[in-house]
Amino acid sequence: MSTDSKAGGPRTSEALGGAEPSRPEVIATSRLTKTYPSRDGRAAGLTAVDGLDLSVRRGEIFGLLGPNGAGKTTTVGMLTTRVVPTSGHAEVNGVDVAADPALVKHFIGVVHQVNTLDRSLNAWENLYFHGRYYGMGAKAARDAADEQLERFRLSHRARSEVRTLSGGMARRLMVARALLHRPAVLFLDEPTASLDPQSRLALWEVLKEIRADGQTILLTTHYMEEAEAFCDRVAIMDHGRILALGTPAHLKHAAGDGRGAGPTVKAWLARLWAETRAADPDAADHGRRLDRPAVEATLVEVVEAAERLGLGLDDLGQGVTLETVFFQLTGRDLRE
Amino acid sequence: MPPASAQRPRRPNWTAFGALLLRDLTVLDKDLKEFLPNTLMQPAMLVFVFTYVFPRIGQGIGGSGNVGRFSTLLLGGLVAQSIAFQGLFRVALPLSRELDITNELEDRVLAPTRVSVIAFEKIVAGGLQSLFAGLIVFPVAAFLPSTPIYLRAHWSTLAIVTVLSCYASAALGLTIGTRIEARLVPILVGFVALPLGFFGAIFYTWDALTPIGWLKAAVLVNPMVYMSEGFRASLSIGVVHMPLGAIYSALVAFSVLFTVLGIRGFTKRVLS
């Protein structure tokens, strides 16, 4: 699956890895580095993020992929002011995260992978007080809380204590809260982690609506198919560095090095059928169903027909997915 | 919903501070059912046992056998203790839980203001709660004793001692709450609250410790000594107390120390 369809065709991949340079940058980092000191203070510390250069533009959905310990969460931590960079530079909406973190916080919305709802407050109050933290007056915050509950299909649980919400509802409420003050960029850290399939589906419906509104999003995820379907561009990270950056289609193509990017079985069969009919207009008459006992015989016929037309099996693509790319770059070794 | 404009917010620091305070007071309002009995139980029991039970069973307490004098000195101590314990626990307990286990402080840490302002708000909110505790304990300590009690309020002294005590207690709560793991919270009672209370000049005046010189000197590190002495100085007649200058100076010094340690501890916990 490619995201190109919604963008109206493949985007040009440039030095920025396919970003659209015409739009203003919402996130810009340059040689951003975070080294955690070692426990005893003598040995060299752990460099979680190592000279990161990143650019995310307005309206873009940017995915940060990588195995555990790759530096994704530390990167998000630095951009959301919770982790102090060791060196390098990062700006969110034009504001230096190290120099003015309080102002940066005004421009960001953050959804963590764990439940961070305020358990002393009910669902509605979580939204209402969030609005107040961001300087909304009482009425504006009340209205915004009502609207968000409606929008995220949580109105019926407005007065519920948050500990009584299901995992999916809690996550939706966290997204609603993060968006309430209209942030310039929304950070989603593993948004669907530990959700059941129905809740994941419901959350993705919500996220697609947000995307349609033009919200800039930076998300981290382990789910390759989600990143592939949802993100305009992805960066694959490991050991604190970006290993690959571009549109999902671009990365898949590069990983396949031309060979792997061939047609899938379905496309190959469609081409075979089209060329068969072109060579023999009566071929349609020979169309037949693939009954199970006859499958082998039919496949042999198909392969023979393909060879006659010069359509070798070598042409058949491997069906490169983002997961293939991910494993190629980060290896298959267990990280824990 | 369109993304936000790049407009710079006005007065980000204190607007968020006010909203955080509003949130904490809303939570206090919700918790009143637990807060009131929790605040009143201990002072009410102490007053009952010390001023009603002991005199009737012939148990000597208070040194002189003058139970009226004892009730009078106990009043200041009980108000100080309620303020100190509520300030300490209302800040430290939720904070250690929120930082260590539930992550629910996250949204408030991301409020668009400096981290030090968020920490300072914790102190102010805790201070207001301990003020509230002091206000509801006062009538219990003043009117419940079955023995006469000799009161005269020195309002200006009372105001200064109250503000400093509430603030210092909550700042101590921030200092401890940011340094103790949630699983170790139960030891707060044994290792912090009990020494604070027993050596906090609640049941005796600081001056009464004169026969035990080393103890009289040692308890000076206990901020509650100055609170108890301060409340006695501002409320009770005929009770010897420390010089007011010493009380004020010590409470200011503890407030500054705990503010610095508390904000430093908070910053260390929420930033890495």
Side-chain angles (χ1 to χ4, degrees), chain B residues 10-171:
Chain B
R10 286 174 300 136
R11 294 178 294 125
N13 285 338
W14 301 107
T15 307
F17 175 89
L20 291 164
L21 198 56
L22 185 65
R23 180 263 173 209
D24 284 345
L25 295 180
T26 304
V27 173
L28 172 67
D29 183 40
K30 288 180 165 211
D31 290 350
L32 269 188
K33 284 197 297 292
E34 293 88 35
F35 181 83
L36 290 178
N38 186 27
T39 306
L40 287 172
M41 186 68 91
Q42 199 192 17
M45 286 195 303
L46 287 172
V47 166
F48 178 71
V49 172
F50 285 156
T51 71
Y52 180 82
V53 177
F54 281 5
R56 273 161 185 73
I57 63 175
Q59 181 92 36
I61 193 152
S64 66
N66 178 348
V67 289
R69 181 182 172 278
F70 181 67
S71 297
T72 306
L73 78 85
L74 188 62
L75 168 79
L78 287 182
V79 172
Q81 187 199 37
S82 302
I83 284 179
F85 282 5
Q86 286 300 332
L88 167 64
F89 286 117
R90 292 287 299 183
V91 176
L93 297 192
L95 197 58
S96 70
R97 189 190 67 228
E98 291 172 347
L99 284 170
D100 241 16
I101 303 173
T102 65
N103 302 301
E104 60 189 305
L105 198 64
E106 202 58 42
D107 194 47
R108 279 166 277 158
V109 173
L110 285 171
T113 187
R114 280 196 293 272
V115 167
S116 56
V117 172
I118 298 164
F120 180 61
E121 184 278 332
K122 285 269 155 220
I123 300 178
V124 174
L128 287 175
Q129 294 178 62
S130 65
L131 170 66
F132 186 48
L135 288 176
I136 59 176
V137 163
F138 179 79
V140 172
F143 304 120
L144 205 61
S146 59
T147 53
I149 193 161
Y150 310 107
L151 291 181
R152 188 185 63 205
H154 297 274
W155 292 108
S156 56
T157 311
L158 182 63
I160 296 170
V161 170
T162 304
V163 169
L164 288 176
S165 299
C166 291
Y167 184 90
S169 311

Side-chain angles (χ1 to χ4, degrees), chain B residues 198-199 204 206-222 225:
Chain B
F198 279 113
F199 300 109
Y204 45 82
W206 179 67
D207 185 63
L209 288 176
T210 304
I212 319 169
W214 64 267
L215 186 61
K216 192 178 182 188
V219 298
L220 289 175
V221 299
N222 183 347
V225 167

Side-chain angles (χ1 to χ4, degrees), chain A residues 55-126:
Chain A
S55 167
V56 178
R57 292 180 181 271
R58 179 163 296 166
E60 195 174 19
I61 316 290
F62 191 91
L64 217 45
L65 312 181
N68 287 337
K72 308 185 296 292
T73 300
T74 303
T75 302
V76 171
M78 285 191 277
L79 295 171
T80 57
T81 76
R82 296 298 301 281
V83 176
V84 182
T86 311
S87 64
H89 185 79
E91 282 187 3
V92 172
N93 214 26
V95 181
D96 186 331
V97 294
D100 198 350
L103 187 57
V104 167
K105 288 194 273 187
H106 191 84
F107 297 124
I108 60 174
V110 187
V111 178
H112 292 88
Q113 51 183 306
V114 293
N115 185 337
T116 62
L117 293 169
D118 192 337
R119 288 161 180 74
S120 301
L121 304 175
N122 66 31
W124 184 88
E125 288 168 335
N126 262 274

